[in-house]
Amino acid sequence: MDIVKLSVRKLVEFLMKTGDIDTRLAGADRAQMGTKVHQELQNAAGENYEKEVPLQIEYIYEDILFKVEGRADGIINQKVIDEIKSTYTPLGGIPNDGYPIHWAQVICYGYFYAKKEELTTVTLQLTYYHLSEKETSQFTRRMTFLEMETFFHNLIKEYANWVKLQLAFSKKRTDSLKKLQFPFETYRKGQRELAIAVYRTVYNGDTLFCEAPTGIGKTISSLFPTLKAMSENKIDKIFYLTAKTITRQVAEDAMDELRRQKINLRTVTITAKDKICFLDERRCEPDFCQYAKGYYNRINDCLFDLMRHEQTISREILEAYGKKYTVCPFELSLDVALFCDMIICDYNYLFDPKVYLRRFFIESKENFAFLIDEAHNLVDRSKMMYSATLSKALVLQVKKSINKNDINLYQAVSRLNNELIKFRKLCDRDTKTLVQNEAAEDLNAIVTEFVEIAKEWLPQNAEKENQSLVLELFFEASHYERIAGFYGDNYSTLIETGKDTKITQVCIDPSSLLREKLNFGRASILFSATLSPLNYYSELLGGEKDTSKLSFRSPFPEKNVKIISPTYIHTRYQERPSSYEKIIECIHMMMEAKSGNYLLFFPSYSYMEEVYHRFIEQYPNINVIKQSRNMDVEVREAFLKEFQVDQKIIGFAILGGIFSEGVDLKGTRLIGAGIIGVGLAEPSLSQNLMREYYDQKADRGFYYAYQIPGLNKVLQAAGRVIRSSTDKGVILLMDSRFQETRYRNELPAHWRNLMFVRNPKQLAEELSTFWQKQEEIND
């Protein structure tokens, strides 16, 4: 007998939810607000009010055992089942005697309770708390056991159609995955070991940090063993999380390869709302968008159709069904994800407190596997996710827009403005900044006050001209309030003033917050081609001291790449002017030793511009292109198209920029890279906050804040050169600091052939010798 576990809320919401999508108040933490209201009403109800009563039932329908559970808000005198709902609908504005979806929930609780206590009739009560008026209205019904049982039976009967469809598909999925074979005839070097490590991690429910250099095939090596673990019912769902579109495409391509074996697996790729929206201007409001209006009236028909006919649910498929049923394709992707075996999406949907998938990650640990690609990117991304800024300029703009008759809103915004003025006065006159290591408690209280008042004001003033402006501040303040809930020793408060006064809750160390999110799954594999040193990334990304770590050497022949560091080049800021001609000489030497395509990576635009102009002046006949600021997609593609097979071009680019990661120029499209500097970020307030934090925590502030993040940029840029087992090329690390022990000790194992040269003559000889050997091998 198949067993299906679900909550009462999920059952009734899935079957009975109707109406529109309207995200104008989506920034409010409605669950937290509802909990607060529930607690206040429950505490005021008296001794005869038994609150938060767990109820459950086992119900067999057509050989399926449904285990349905929930928690009644209250039971009064062991006779009345009470369900509390908070609403912005004005007092007297609720239609009929309450909403059907709410009655469905309380009827289920009434049935469960009556069956347990052997009652023939039960009184059911809906209590609505009107947030605007802070008043309650109540509706009651008296139902017999048979009436409630019939109602519940009909719900289960309808839901069973979905369950049977899903169970049939899941059986086919499991059977097909048991037969799944590795999709290639042989494993690459290190690939089998990686696949075994991933399988063990998922099977045992652990976490693994893995550095797998380009060429190992880390995507297929993580997906294949995870699917095998799924065939053994160790996991129910895979989340493939990435930072960029290109890595999502790699995951999709890997799944296409696996599908050649006729596996049954339903996957969905979630595309950002702004990208997939059908409208020129995204406004998720029923009066503005036909795909939002009545969405919940049509979505189940759409889902049933989609699930019966599609397995690879791509952006194109979502758009096609969205238009067919007139539903929002983004919301469709979230709803269909509930029925998918694998979800390919951005990091945000697990980690970001604003947009994480609450339908998956709000209750308890589930049998999920998290495959986190290019995990080195998650360090900076997570710091941004868990930081929040409040702008005085926006506060003042909102204050000026408010009619003073809206006295509560006006006073709340005024208090907010006044508090920010106090902080502005405390800022240092020279640096125009203030840093404190504790939360701004007084400001936070005022922010919370504004958020509560704005929640009431916004739905009542939808037609006012300043509604969108107040809404903008509401979103910003709501996020600020949410982040204040995470504030601890791993945060600092930064106030910056100038044209605007901004206060930022800066997340310096997100590790504990990431660990909390990873704990929603059974197993996590965090991998990247550049995850050196592993202990550093494990610590910053939520690993524990005993978390498994694995590092592989490059599968490509070491003889195919020459890594050289000219130690006579010094690129520290004050020494840069003396480096210009030496760098130009190195570039020319690379071209002299072997004509072809090269990329150069500079630590700043000003540095790059200086060398670029000097180079083209000295060598006007060499074809040179240069990265510019704010390049759009078409211009980026045009830049990369210049790197064609057997061409002779030099590209000037920024270290850590758009061309130093995710660029795949195979063969002779790129035969060398010159990396100027060790990748250190320019000193900034945020970086220095991190440095101070880790100075206090581990006495290694520079290491954590500057050295290792910089080294990762170097490794990423160097990784552009060798993209396949037949690629050959040179990498010049133009900075004397690479010979220092603190840098050499942190380089990955597959860079053990790094050599240092002391002068231009030695460099020229090494370059020439390398390419001569390559020609001899080819002959």
Side-chain angles (χ1 to χ4, degrees), residues 424-468:
R424 183 178 64 191
K425 292 178 179 179
L426 292 172
C427 286
D428 183 274
R429 290 185 178 181
D430 295 327
T431 64
K432 296 184 178 180
T433 61
L434 172 68
V435 176
Q436 62 182 43
N437 293 324
E438 61 274 350
E441 298 290 355
D442 291 344
L443 175 67
N444 292 351
I446 296 171
V447 170
T448 298
E449 179 189 26
F450 163 75
V451 169
E452 292 299 319
I453 291 172
K455 284 175 187 175
E456 298 181 16
W457 185 90
L458 284 163
Q460 298 175 15
N461 295 273
E463 304 303 320
K464 288 194 175 180
E465 290 184 5
N466 66 336
Q467 206 260 1
S468 61

Side-chain angles (χ1 to χ4, degrees), residues 126-139:
L126 275 179
T127 299
Y128 287 98
Y129 181 83
H130 301 272
L131 292 160
S132 300
E133 296 93 338
K134 293 182 170 54
E135 297 284 346
T136 60
S137 57
Q138 292 179 327
F139 305 97

